[in-house]
Amino acid sequence: MKEIDWSNLSFGYMKTDYNVRCYYRDGKWGELELCSEETLNIHMAATCLHYGQEAFEGLKAYRGKDGKIRIFRPEANAERLQSTCRGILMPEFPTEMFCEAVKKVVKANERFIPPYESGASLYIRPLLIGTGAQVGVHPAKEYLFVVFVTPVGPYFKGGFATNPYVIIRQYDRAAPLGTGTFKVGGNYAASLRANKMAHDAGYASEFYLDAKEKKYIDECGAANFFGIKNNTYITPLSTSILPSITNRSLMQLAEDMGLKVERRPIPEEELTTFEEAGACGTAAVISPIERIDDLENQKSYVIAKDGKPGPISEKLYHKLRAIQYGDEPDPYGWVTVID
Ligand SMILES: Cc1ncc(COP(=O)(O)O)c(C=O)c1O
């Protein structure tokens, strides 16, 4: 096999040796199967192809300095997938089987887990799709759960740095009582135009306000938002954002550092008051926000006045990464270690 250049990995798909699959038939889930085939053979009338019965997850495995492999909070991803399943009427995949499948696929592809020094990791992508044929708009009777992995590079190649974001008002990602809190493909289809607009204009990502009033902060692309001021970590409370596992972990760490934590609606104008702000998610842990432009209102909220990440964001980032890579103790049992 060709040697992998660990220091030049991007966030893209690389073929690995195995994926794990599990079929739902006759009202129950079957056994986990190890598979080396990359493609799926599904019915052309499968509900995932027509009616968006599709859910996915994203988490990572890290190789520690001690050579051990650590998976970050797989139980939380299992629970979020179950919530998504309830949201679009798919059968829930049990937590224990989810964690077993994740461990199995990581172990089977061990040679693709980047070394500690590279700062890279193994991205884990579980998905659950309706495979049963259906022409009317109804949930399928058959489903397939798959989990595959691919090595991905470190988010910050040139070091932890700030990025500009742009408020997009032309398109909504999710309706207030829609599927925004679920991780379904349709939300990402709805975000493609806004995402392209932001990238074409040179921004790191699009920034969403609430769809109803366009008054409160929702999310930044595929990441949650947090702001910091007066020793307080503030993150939006909204019915249309994805409950980020990174955000939940950062709220805990912020509290441990002596910060107050607030989850509440954040009006756009409050952006002028933050000392620091960031986009948080599995991909980057924290992507510190330099500024947020509201082009239609000719406003620019500059958060990182000197262009650098703030001290609290930096501390939170290093703390969470240290837990993920096993450099520091894991007081909450977030990490599953694979020997
Ligand atoms: C829309 C959206 N928001 C937030 C997040 C961050 O969630 P997490 O921290 O669980 O990766 C993601 C990524 O999964 C996402 O796609």
Side-chain angles (χ1 to χ4, degrees):
M1 156 185 132
K2 228 175 79 200
E3 284 286 305
I4 299 172
D5 181 2
W6 300 115
S7 55
N8 278 312
L9 289 171
S10 61
F11 192 82
Y13 177 80
M14 180 191 288
K15 185 181 185 319
T16 59
D17 293 335
Y18 297 103
N19 56 84
V20 168
R21 301 182 184 193
C22 186
Y23 294 88
Y24 182 89
R25 292 187 189 117
D26 303 321
K28 55 180 188 300
W29 288 104
E31 300 286 313
L32 300 179
E33 299 172 18
L34 201 59
C35 177
S36 54
E37 178 60 54
E38 279 176 292
T39 56
L40 305 175
N41 187 10
I42 55 171
H43 197 287
M44 62 188 172
T47 60
C48 65
L49 300 176
H50 301 260
Y51 305 130
Q53 265 204 313
E54 189 272 352
F56 68 103
E57 273 302 326
L59 64 163
K60 283 180 173 178
Y62 308 84
R63 168 108 49 200
K65 218 185 276 180
D66 54 9
K68 288 185 183 160
I69 305 157
R70 289 173 175 80
I71 306 172
F72 189 67
R73 304 194 78 171
E75 304 82 6
N77 291 91
E79 284 161 20
R80 191 169 64 188
L81 179 62
Q82 288 156 8
S83 155
T84 301
C85 286
R86 291 191 292 275
I88 59 166
L89 301 188
M90 304 202 291
E92 293 176 35
F93 197 67
T95 302
E96 205 178 300
M97 274 174 84
F98 180 96
C99 294
E100 210 39 57
V102 166
K103 276 196 266 184
K104 202 177 174 85
V105 75
V106 168
K107 265 187 131 147
N109 292 295
E110 188 169 347
R111 68 189 184 97
F112 293 96
I113 308 175
Y116 173 80
E117 298 71 31
S118 66
S121 55
L122 188 74
Y123 184 71
I124 306 167
R125 168 54 59 86
L127 62 141
L128 202 162
I129 57 173
T131 51
Q134 201 79 263
V135 176
V137 183
H138 299 292
K141 293 195 175 65
E142 294 186 351
Y143 293 85
L144 169 62
F145 171 84
V146 184
V147 48
F148 69 83
V149 295
T150 194
V152 294
Y155 193 87
F156 296 106
K157 291 210 171 71
F160 190 54
T162 62
N163 275 305
Y165 288 74
V166 63
I167 292 174
I168 302 281
R169 290 167 183 276
Q170 290 93 322
Y171 308 117
D172 295 319
R173 174 188 166 274
L177 299 177
T179 53
T181 54
F182 307 127
K183 206 161 166 70
V184 295
N187 295 340
Y188 296 80
S191 77
L192 291 173
R193 286 192 296 182
N195 182 268
K196 183 172 175 350
M197 274 178 83
H199 283 152
D200 286 353
Y203 294 95
S205 194
E206 74 279 21
F207 198 92
Y208 295 103
L209 300 178
D210 76 282
K212 194 171 177 182
E213 294 186 80
K214 296 277 181 201
K215 206 171 152 191
Y216 300 98
I217 295 166
D218 254 0
E219 292 198 82
C220 346
N224 275 182
F225 171 87
F226 70 86
I228 290 181
K229 65 176 176 188
N230 308 327
N231 206 39
T232 310
Y233 180 105
I234 307 164
T235 193
L237 184 67
S238 160
T239 56
S240 50
I241 64 178
L242 191 77
S244 154
I245 293 158
T246 313
N247 196 7
R248 207 199 311 170
S249 310
L250 291 172
M251 284 189 247
Q252 180 65 58
L253 298 179
E255 217 172 271
D256 296 350
M257 283 174 193
L259 271 82
K260 238 178 83 190
V261 173
E262 288 178 10
R263 269 183 85 199
R264 58 168 171 81
I266 306 175
E268 179 186 340
E269 310 79 71
E270 197 173 338
L271 287 172
T272 55
T273 66
F274 290 121
E275 296 150 16
E276 301 180 27
C280 61
T282 297
V285 176
I286 291 174
S287 174
I289 297 176
E290 182 205 331
R291 63 170 208 278
I292 300 163
D293 291 345
D294 184 345
L295 300 176
E296 272 167 75
N297 289 338
Q298 285 153 6
K299 278 190 197 152
S300 183
Y301 303 99
V302 180
I303 291 166
K305 307 269 182 315
D306 57 358
K308 297 202 189 86
I312 295 174
S313 305
E314 185 135 17
K315 212 168 143 191
L316 283 168
Y317 170 77
H318 288 296
K319 183 78 190 172
L320 190 50
R321 292 240 326 162
I323 295 173
Q324 291 171 333
Y325 279 88
D327 292 334
E328 282 191 34
D330 169 28
Y332 299 104
W334 286 342
V335 160
T336 297
V337 181
I338 302 183
D339 292 305

